[in-house]
Amino acid sequence: MRIVVPAGGTGGARFVRGLLAALAEAGEPADVTVVGNTGDDITLWGLRVCPDLDTVTYTLAGAIDEAKGWGRPDETFTVRDELAGYGVLPTWFGLGDRDLATHLTRTSLLASGATLSEATATIAARWGLPGLGVTLLPMSDSPVETHVLVQHPDDPAGAPPRLVHFQEYWVGLRAAPRALDVVAVGAEQARPAPGVLEAVAAADVVLLPPSNPVVSIGTVLAVPGVRAALEASAAPVVGVAPLVGGAVVRGMADRLLPALGVEVDAGAVALHYGASLLDGWLVDTSDVHAVAPVEQAGIACRAVPLLMTDVPATARIAAEALRLAEAVRA
Amino acid sequence: MRIVVPAGGTGGARFVRGLLAALAEAGEPADVTVVGNTGDDITLWGLRVCPDLDTVTYTLAGAIDEAKGWGRPDETFTVRDELAGYGVLPTWFGLGDRDLATHLTRTSLLASGATLSEATATIAARWGLPGLGVTLLPMSDSPVETHVLVQHPDDPAGAPPRLVHFQEYWVGLRAAPRALDVVAVGAEQARPAPGVLEAVAAADVVLLPPSNPVVSIGTVLAVPGVRAALEASAAPVVGVAPLVGGAVVRGMADRLLPALGVEVDAGAVALHYGASLLDGWLVDTSDVHAVAPVEQAGIACRAVPLLMTDVPATARIAAEALRLAEAVRA
């Protein structure tokens, strides 16, 4: 069973880890293509940083800081602390020393002419992803950078809102200013990375993990051709609501959905994706109110426990998603 | 008293530290311009590394690993160890985590259009060099990279000798292959960095520390205009022999002098520099045999203890050099 999973960072990575556990439990060989969001990518300290790709890689390799959900465990921040002494490079996005090796390697590969796909494959191979049955593809080899329109707190009163890089909004400003709009800069000119459309066309199932629907899945869908390929695919597309009980479990999707005029509600996110994309949708048992309106829109909907508290719980969610995919296929 | 010191890494840095101590002891304000060798510079991990400039900076700031003579104390190598896992970037030149912040800062400054002089000034300021009365200038803003001609041990028998970067020879090959020639690649096209010729012209004294005469001082002298300016300067030029008892105290000058046809001897080094450059020369008391031939060549020569065992001993050597400078001036 060929499974394609467009994914963001922590939520997407944990969902894929659960999916692999569910497949193993079912005695099903894993053949999972993860199409990773690269809209959060940023060039920092002269290095190309791809937070979501790395979170997927580290998580699947068991090399993630579980508490934080990103970065390496037992991480040190010697380089960042020393950089602060110079005051030349920004330290609000604190890259760890272990993690830094990944960015140095990727940046050197890119500088020597490799595409982001090739660099990602090299990094994924070092962490054993192929052996897990996982192919990690960036959504695109062209740079796409998500920007958020905000009234910047550093600007004088009366200054017009301006676009800031997603990481500056998310990490630097801690998502405090109201997001007025979200723009995937470069998306219109981007093309899907090699293998993305092919994987979608050959997929038996497409699963949308509970990643941020605006800046993770939304950015993958913003790459021209990706959404159309998913809509055209014969494979059922089943999504997992990123909201539980009308609130985010982690991340800050609730700060971004309003910028797109979408209600912070599990059902509203399904309707935002739309019936042209989704065949099935899982909401949490606390969001059972959402089942009827989602089904009314032509999307099969089930209410099941959606808290990814640990790998077994996440595996049960992934198994439910696969079960719903089989149901809508039939 | 305006003092100019062309300098390499550890030996040059320790000499300047002793010079500052000698000036302080004499109640003389420090006004020292160090013209740092940049021929050892290398681009590694995508970062511009200037080993000699950094060794001078760290040493004068008291932020040097005293035992090694280079790098930061209490250094960790987390990034290097993680890079080894990828196998993409070479790890034979192990940059430490603390040290890495310097190279990231310099590389970013250069990438944003700063000259090496400007980047060096920023780094030197962070470490308080201006407050010590020291101006650190790179010998040139143009890249000059010392290469060594060797029969490479990885090459098949009968293969012709080839040029390897000085760092590969020094660190990677541990100076084991015989050096057949030493070439300062890029030197012919290089120009002295802003301030170098001005400092030499305005100098009251020029001191050549016991740095490597081939790849440290030799490379500074290879920048067109530098040697001529030193020769034309009214200031006495006094050097300190880098050999004691016919052997190197540290470093591997003994591996490189033969490539230039120079005997591994304190007197031979003075004659290699030549009377057109040198007005005075200090040899160790164990090399008193060298005094007569050096004086015969027209260079005032004194035999004094030259082991830089600690700062006070080094200060005494620097004071002897200043004393000899006054003697030849009179």
Side-chain angles (χ1 to χ4, degrees):
Chain A
M1 183 164 52
R2 288 159 297 188
I3 305 175
V4 169
V5 185
T10 309
R14 288 183 175 169
F15 179 80
V16 173
R17 184 168 58 178
L19 173 63
L20 295 178
L23 293 168
E25 206 167 314
E28 181 90 46
D31 182 351
V32 179
T33 299
V34 177
V35 180
N37 169 44
T38 57
D40 298 9
D41 293 6
I42 188 166
T43 299
L44 204 78
W45 304 353
L47 307 176
R48 192 63 182 164
V49 179
C50 303
D52 283 0
L53 295 179
D54 291 346
T55 296
V56 169
T57 301
Y58 295 162
T59 300
L60 298 184
I64 193 87
D65 183 314
E66 285 290 338
K68 287 193 303 190
W70 52 269
R72 303 283 308 281
D74 304 318
E75 186 59 290
T76 51
F77 292 88
T78 307
V79 176
R80 180 201 61 191
D81 294 347
E82 288 291 332
L83 281 178
Y86 286 107
V88 170
L89 291 168
T91 52
W92 56 263
F93 194 92
L95 300 174
D97 300 328
R98 292 178 191 279
D99 191 36
L100 203 54
T102 304
H103 312 311
L104 282 164
T105 298
R106 176 169 38 233
T107 303
S108 283
L109 289 168
L110 295 173
S112 66
T115 62
L116 181 58
S117 295
E118 291 163 345
T120 302
T122 297
I123 294 167
R126 179 258 179 272
W127 291 105
L129 266 56
L132 301 172
V134 174
T135 304
L136 175 61
L137 304 176
M139 65 186 200
S140 178
D141 281 341
S142 333
V144 177
E145 294 197 349
T146 302
H147 282 64
V148 182
L149 186 70
V150 294
Q151 195 76 52
H152 200 289
D154 292 352
D155 288 348
R162 59 180 164 104
L163 287 173
V164 298
H165 190 286
F166 173 73
Q167 297 294 359
E168 193 195 335
Y169 170 75
W170 203 248
V171 182
L173 300 175
R174 293 160 193 271
R178 194 155 70 87
L180 304 171
D181 198 2
V182 179
V183 184
V185 177
E188 280 171 35
Q189 293 77 42
R191 284 189 307 174
V196 169
L197 298 183
E198 294 80 349
V200 170
D204 297 306
V205 177
V206 176
L207 300 179
L208 300 190
S211 291
N212 189 311
V214 183
V215 291
S216 296
I217 309 291
T219 312
V220 176
L221 296 177
V223 177
V226 172
R227 187 183 169 108
L230 289 167
E231 289 180 354
S233 167
V237 177
V238 172
V240 178
L243 298 163
V244 167
V248 288
V249 178
R250 62 172 288 133
M252 297 177 263
D254 53 328
R255 302 288 303 156
L256 297 171
L257 283 165
L260 304 192
V262 179
E263 204 188 329
V264 181
D265 172 84
V269 173
L271 302 181
H272 168 64
Y273 282 138
S276 62
L277 179 73
L278 286 180
D279 300 298
W281 187 245
L282 295 181
V283 297
D284 185 67
T285 44
S286 64
D287 291 312
V288 71
H289 72 274
V291 173
V294 171
E295 293 239 313
Q296 213 158 10
I299 301 165
C301 187
R302 304 280 182 279
V304 298
L306 284 194
L307 284 176
M308 300 195 293
T309 41
D310 54 20
V311 175
T314 311
R316 285 192 291 275
I317 299 167
E320 287 288 357
L322 290 173
R323 204 165 299 131
L324 182 54
E326 289 318 304
V328 300
R329 190 200 308 279
Chain B
M1 184 164 50
R2 286 159 298 186
I3 304 174
V4 168
V5 186
T10 308
R14 288 182 176 170
F15 179 80
V16 173
R17 185 169 56 178
L19 174 61
L20 295 178
L23 292 169
E25 207 167 313
E28 181 91 46
D31 182 350
V32 179
T33 299
V34 177
V35 180
N37 168 43
T38 57
D40 298 9
D41 293 6
I42 188 167
T43 298
L44 203 78
W45 306 353
L47 307 176
R48 193 65 181 163
V49 180
C50 302
D52 284 359
L53 295 180
D54 292 346
T55 296
V56 170
T57 302
Y58 295 161
T59 300
L60 298 185
I64 194 85
D65 183 313
E66 284 291 338
K68 288 194 304 191
W70 51 269
R72 303 283 309 281
D74 305 319
E75 186 58 289
T76 52
F77 292 87
T78 307
V79 176
R80 180 200 62 190
D81 294 347
E82 289 290 331
L83 281 177
Y86 286 107
V88 170
L89 291 170
T91 51
W92 57 263
F93 194 93
L95 300 174
D97 301 328
R98 292 178 192 279
D99 191 35
L100 204 52
T102 304
H103 313 309
L104 281 164
T105 298
R106 174 168 40 233
T107 304
S108 283
L109 289 168
L110 295 174
S112 65
T115 62
L116 181 57
S117 294
E118 291 164 345
T120 302
T122 297
I123 294 167
R126 179 257 181 271
W127 290 106
L129 266 57
L132 301 173
V134 174
T135 303
L136 176 61
L137 304 176
M139 65 188 198
S140 177
D141 282 341
S142 334
V144 177
E145 294 197 350
T146 303
H147 281 65
V148 182
L149 186 70
V150 294
Q151 196 76 53
H152 200 289
D154 293 352
D155 287 350
R162 58 180 163 103
L163 288 173
V164 298
H165 189 286
F166 172 74
Q167 297 295 356
E168 193 194 336
Y169 170 76
W170 203 248
V171 183
L173 300 175
R174 293 160 192 273
R178 194 157 69 87
L180 304 171
D181 198 4
V182 179
V183 184
V185 177
E188 282 173 32
Q189 293 76 43
R191 286 190 304 176
V196 169
L197 298 184
E198 293 81 348
V200 170
D204 297 304
V205 177
V206 175
L207 300 178
L208 300 190
S211 292
N212 190 311
V214 183
V215 293
S216 296
I217 308 291
T219 312
V220 176
L221 296 177
V223 177
V226 171
R227 189 184 167 105
L230 289 168
E231 289 180 356
S233 167
V237 177
V238 172
V240 178
L243 299 163
V244 167
V248 288
V249 179
R250 62 171 290 132
M252 297 178 264
D254 54 330
R255 301 289 301 156
L256 296 170
L257 284 165
L260 303 192
V262 179
E263 203 187 332
V264 180
D265 173 85
V269 173
L271 303 181
H272 168 64
Y273 282 138
S276 63
L277 179 71
L278 287 181
D279 300 297
W281 187 244
L282 294 181
V283 298
D284 186 67
T285 43
S286 64
D287 292 312
V288 72
H289 72 274
V291 172
V294 171
E295 293 239 314
Q296 212 158 10
I299 302 166
C301 188
R302 302 282 181 279
V304 298
L306 285 194
L307 284 176
M308 300 195 292
T309 41
D310 53 21
V311 176
T314 311
R316 284 191 293 273
I317 299 168
E320 288 288 356
L322 290 173
R323 204 165 300 132
L324 182 54
E326 289 318 304
V328 299
R329 189 200 310 277

